[in-house]
Amino acid sequence: MLRLVLKIALVLSLAFPALAQELTAPEERLISLFETSRSSVVSITTGQRRVDPWLRRAEIVPSGSGSGFFWGDEGHIVTNAHVIQRAVRADIHMADGRVLPARLVGAAPQYDLAVLQVDLDGTAAEPLENGNSGDLRVGQSVLAIGNPFGLDWTLTTGIVSALEREIPIGNGVIEGLIQTDAAINPGNSGGPLLDSSGRLIGVNTAIFSPSGASSGIGFAVPVDLVERVVPQLIANGVYRPPVLGIRFDPRINQLARENGIEGVVILSVEPGGPAEEVGLRAAQRGRNGGLLPGDVIQQVNTRRIVSGDDLSAALDDYEAGDEVTLLVWQDGETREVTLRLAAP
C-alpha cells in the first residue's frame, strides 16, 4: 500500500510540476533569506599539535569544528573564542567550495568572541548586514545558520525566547545574552543569529543541555556587543576597555526606568577602584527586601547614558588613565564627579 501511495505521489509530481513545487509566501521569504546569507557564513575546522610519545614527533591532528561569518570586506571572520581555543591551525570552508587557511587576529574570551582572517586573493567578501539587538523583543522570529555536527550550512528557525540571560564561561560570566529556541548544536558555535529580515542580531555561542544536543535553549552574544568588541580586536588584537570599578545589571536598570529613574544603577563598588576613590555609592536593600537606589550614572562627559550598553559604549572611547566626568543622580539631585579610569 505504501509503495502504491509513493508511486501515485511521484506520478502527480511529474504530471503537475507547478503544483508539486508551489511554495507559500513565508517559505519563499525564508528560502530567499537563507540563499542570500549562505555565502556570508563559513565552516571552521581546527587542529591541535600532538606529540607522539614513542616517536617523539609532533603532528597536527583535527580537534574541532565551528561556524563563523564574514565581517567587513578584508577577509575578517567572526567566530567564538572557544572554537579556536588551543588550536594551532584553523581552516575556513567557504560556500563556494574553497578551503583557506586562517590566522588569528584577536580574541576576547570574556565575551566568547574571536576574529580570524583569510586571504581572499582579490575576491570580494559578502558580510552580513548588522541589525540592532537593543530593540529585540521576546517572541520575534530568528534564524540560525551554522554547521552542526559537521553538517554544513544548516538552517534552523525559532523565536527570541528571552533576553538578558547570563551563563558561566571559563572563570567569568557572560551577561546580556539572547536566548532562543532555534536549534543550536555543537558546530553551530560562532555562526550568525539573524532576524526575519536577514540582519545579524547575535553570534550563537552555547546551548543548555545535559545531553550536549539541542534542547531548545540556546544563547547568542548580542550584535550591539559584537559591534563594540570586534573593531577593537581587528585594530589591536585585544579588547580591554577601561573600567569604573562598578557592577550593574540591565534588568535593574530597566526596572529603574519603569519607575522614572533613567541611567545605570550602581549595584556594587569594587574596593580600591575608581568609583570607590571618588565616593560613588551602591544601591542598598530596604527592610522589605526592595532595592534602594544609590548613585545612578546618567552621563559620561557629554554623552547621555540610558542603559548599560550606553555606558559600555561610552567607555570604549577612552583608555585606562583617562579622566571622565560623570553626571550622577541620587534622591532627585544630580552632581558631577570626575574620576580616572582604570585598566580591567
Side-chain angles (χ1 to χ4, degrees), residues 183-263:
I184 296 174
N185 285 292
N188 273 111
S189 294
L193 187 69
L194 309 176
D195 65 14
S196 57
S197 296
R199 295 172 299 195
L200 178 70
I201 57 171
V203 180
N204 299 318
T205 187
I207 59 173
F208 178 80
S209 171
S211 68
S214 176
S215 59
I217 301 179
F219 302 97
V221 180
V223 70
D224 291 355
L225 174 59
V226 179
E227 287 183 320
R228 294 203 312 270
V229 175
V230 167
Q232 288 200 31
L233 292 181
I234 292 174
N236 307 313
V238 294
Y239 178 69
R240 292 176 59 84
V243 297
L244 295 169
I246 65 169
R247 180 177 171 272
F248 59 87
D249 188 307
R251 293 164 293 189
I252 300 299
N253 296 335
Q254 178 62 38
L255 289 173
R257 282 196 296 275
E258 293 173 0
N259 287 277
I261 302 173
E262 182 179 284

Side-chain angles (χ1 to χ4, degrees), residues 45-103:
T45 55
T46 60
Q48 292 183 350
R49 191 180 304 279
R50 184 181 68 182
V51 177
D52 188 312
W54 301 105
L55 301 178
R56 298 190 178 184
R57 182 176 59 192
E59 59 180 347
I60 296 177
V61 297
S63 60
S65 64
S67 305
F69 55 90
F70 282 108
W71 182 280
D73 56 5
E74 297 183 359
H76 292 111
I77 294 168
V78 174
T79 186
N80 285 148
H82 78 260
V83 169
I84 50 88
Q85 187 177 22
R86 293 188 293 274
V88 297
R89 180 183 178 90
D91 291 317
I92 305 301
H93 303 254
M94 298 175 59
D96 61 10
R98 284 182 294 168
V99 180
L100 302 176
R103 69 176 185 88

Side-chain angles (χ1 to χ4, degrees), residues 110-111 165-177:
Q110 68 270 43
Y111 298 118
R165 293 303 199 200
E166 59 182 48
I167 59 172
I169 182 168
N171 295 323
V173 174
I174 303 181
E175 301 177 342
L177 296 175

